[in-house]
Amino acid sequence: MHNSGIKLLPAGISLADLKDANPDKLKKVLPSLDGLADIVLVDGAAGLGREALAVLNAVDDILIITNPEIPSITDSLKTIKIAEKLGKAVRGVIVTRTGSENDLALENVAALLGKPIIGVIPEDDSMKSALLKKSAVIHTNPKSKSAIAYKRLAAYLIGLKYEEKAEENLFVKFLNKLRGR
């Protein structure tokens, strides 16, 4: 268990770990997680290889994670079409690494994919810093734009509305202390 309370089952990263891995068994393993968590998120491989298809077959619902660039949108559209052929519910699209002037407009992403955008995660330097620290951006820089966007997305996924509390500036804090508040 992560110190944040999240239960995490990471995949191995060594070639030796892959040797005995059988992605087709995922469909049999996932039901054993019932009751261990309110939500189980499975991070699937990008593309339409054997591993990606095994994940699509094993899960009930799909969230599409994409970047606002044509190659990523094209791959996402293919994944949506396959998921729908498998009878899976595609719940929405999360657009990551946004903020460049060269990004496709979010309205165009939604129109091309035919699915609602349920989250937008901007690219910022705090994400790179979090990676270097081997931690989540919501822990290393909780007030960053990307951390707030992830918190908003998490709240949405569990049916809540997230509002970031505004911090008082130093001058307001000083005045409040003088007033005894």
Side-chain angles (χ1 to χ4, degrees):
M1 182 181 310
H2 187 266
N3 60 9
S4 67
I6 292 175
K7 297 174 184 169
L8 180 68
L9 182 61
I13 59 172
S14 75
L15 291 176
D17 291 338
L18 291 174
K19 185 179 85 169
D20 296 325
N22 183 349
D24 299 323
K25 291 183 179 179
L26 187 59
K27 189 169 184 142
K28 294 176 186 170
V29 172
L30 283 180
S32 68
L33 300 176
D34 284 348
L36 295 178
D38 295 330
I39 297 175
V40 175
L41 295 175
V42 179
D43 184 9
L48 296 173
R50 180 174 172 224
E51 293 84 4
L53 291 174
V55 169
L56 287 176
N57 276 310
V59 300
D60 298 324
D61 300 324
I62 310 291
L63 296 173
I64 298 294
I65 315 296
T66 192
N67 296 332
E69 301 160 351
I70 290 294
S72 185
I73 300 300
T74 302
D75 286 346
S76 296
L77 186 57
K78 291 175 190 173
T79 302
I80 290 169
K81 297 301 179 195
I82 296 288
E84 290 175 339
K85 282 185 181 179
L86 293 171
K88 306 299 177 171
V90 179
R91 298 292 180 190
V93 177
I94 301 162
V95 185
T96 65
R97 306 190 80 171
T98 65
S100 168
E101 63 184 43
N102 298 320
D103 289 354
L104 283 175
L106 294 175
E107 311 82 57
N108 293 342
V109 172
L112 287 166
L113 297 178
K115 298 294 174 190
I117 294 176
I118 62 170
V120 177
I121 313 296
E123 179 78 12
D124 64 34
D125 288 338
S126 63
M127 291 172 64
K128 293 175 186 172
S129 174
L131 280 173
L132 288 172
K133 294 175 183 174
K134 299 179 183 175
S135 189
V137 70
I138 63 166
H139 299 298
T140 60
N141 196 345
K143 299 291 182 184
S144 68
K145 289 179 182 179
S146 58
I148 292 168
Y150 276 119
K151 290 185 270 188
R152 188 172 288 125
L153 173 62
Y156 172 83
L157 291 174
I158 60 171
L160 299 175
K161 183 173 176 156
Y162 178 80
E163 292 187 34
E164 184 71 19
K165 294 177 186 158
E167 281 191 36
E168 294 178 298
N169 67 37
L170 285 174
F171 183 69
V172 172
K173 283 182 181 180
F174 174 74
L175 288 177
N176 284 336
K177 282 202 182 246
L178 287 176
R179 294 180 187 146
R181 294 184 190 169

